[in-house]
Amino acid sequence: MREILLVDGYNIIFAWPMLRRLSEEDLEAARIKLADMLVNYQAFRKNDIILVFDGYKAKGSAGSVLHYGGIDIVYTREALTADSFIEAVSWQMGGKYNLRVATGDGLEQMIILAGGAARMTAKELRHEMELAEREMRETLEKKTAKPGKRNVLLDSLPPETAKMLEKMRLCKDE
């Protein structure tokens, strides 16, 4: 069954200290940082991610959906909160997909559970993303490491290029 992760953007930003501090200086930068983190997570986990931000205070906003690096970012229309959007999606898609919702809002968690989605706290999402990042690093290290050798640039070059650079390093002429 297809897995979809709905993320309550502002809720996560204000729940994670690093993003909260960034938002105090530049809210747009915090939104981009969260989106970038989710793009990396999605690329490794291969799930669908929908990041939702409130647009309810944006006068005249019709809302929008932005496709960004493999995830979808939804800005809700004027007068529609991210919570309302997430709750509606949970009720529509909860039984059809493996749907999880990341939010720290307790009331929203109860509503989405009733709609058939699974809840994930902001802390659980951060932990899962850190675990995925660690797994990505370990996977990359295993793929690039050669037994008994350091992982250096010369190891990844074609043999003739590595030989030429080694001669240059040692100042040897042929």
Side-chain angles (χ1 to χ4, degrees):
M1 186 182 289
R2 191 165 141 202
E3 180 181 307
I4 299 173
L5 174 62
L6 277 170
V7 178
D8 185 339
Y10 289 128
N11 189 280
I12 299 300
I13 286 172
F14 297 121
W16 293 358
M18 180 261 304
L19 290 176
R20 185 177 54 246
R21 282 190 302 276
L22 182 57
S23 76
E24 290 166 1
E25 296 174 26
D26 186 346
L27 186 57
E28 178 65 14
R31 284 192 296 255
I32 292 168
K33 179 68 176 171
L34 176 58
D36 287 343
M37 293 167 73
L38 289 168
V39 165
N40 288 338
Y41 174 73
Q42 184 277 333
F44 187 69
R45 290 288 185 232
K46 306 293 186 214
N47 56 346
D48 293 330
I49 296 179
I50 303 170
L51 175 58
V52 184
F53 290 107
D54 289 320
Y56 77 99
K57 289 184 181 178
K59 294 283 183 210
S61 173
S64 63
V65 177
L66 173 68
H67 304 289
Y68 180 79
I71 69 170
D72 291 320
I73 303 174
V74 173
Y75 293 91
T76 63
R77 63 175 163 73
E78 180 184 11
L80 180 65
T81 65
D83 290 356
S84 298
F85 177 87
I86 289 169
E87 291 161 13
V89 170
S90 297
W91 281 92
Q92 291 173 2
M93 300 171 69
K96 299 174 188 157
Y97 301 95
N98 181 9
L99 184 64
R100 294 186 306 155
V101 177
T103 182
D105 185 319
L107 179 60
E108 185 178 359
Q109 289 177 2
M110 290 183 348
I111 293 169
I112 60 107
L113 283 170
R119 70 143 180 90
M120 173 184 271
T121 66
K123 186 176 182 179
E124 290 169 334
L125 176 62
R126 187 176 64 225
H127 176 74
E128 191 170 303
M129 289 175 68
E130 289 169 350
L131 180 63
E133 187 176 324
R134 207 170 21 254
E135 288 175 21
M136 283 187 277
R137 251 193 318 275
E138 289 170 3
T139 300
L140 182 62
E141 287 171 5
K142 286 178 186 175
K143 287 183 177 183
T144 59
K146 294 184 180 181
K149 288 184 90 176
R150 293 183 345 206
N151 187 12
V152 294
L153 175 63
L154 289 176
D155 294 340
S156 61
L157 294 174
E160 61 278 354
T161 306
K163 194 176 197 179
M164 180 187 75
L165 287 174
E166 183 65 13
K167 285 180 184 178
M168 288 172 62
R169 184 183 72 81
L170 298 172
C171 299
K172 289 185 178 178
D173 290 329
E174 285 200 14

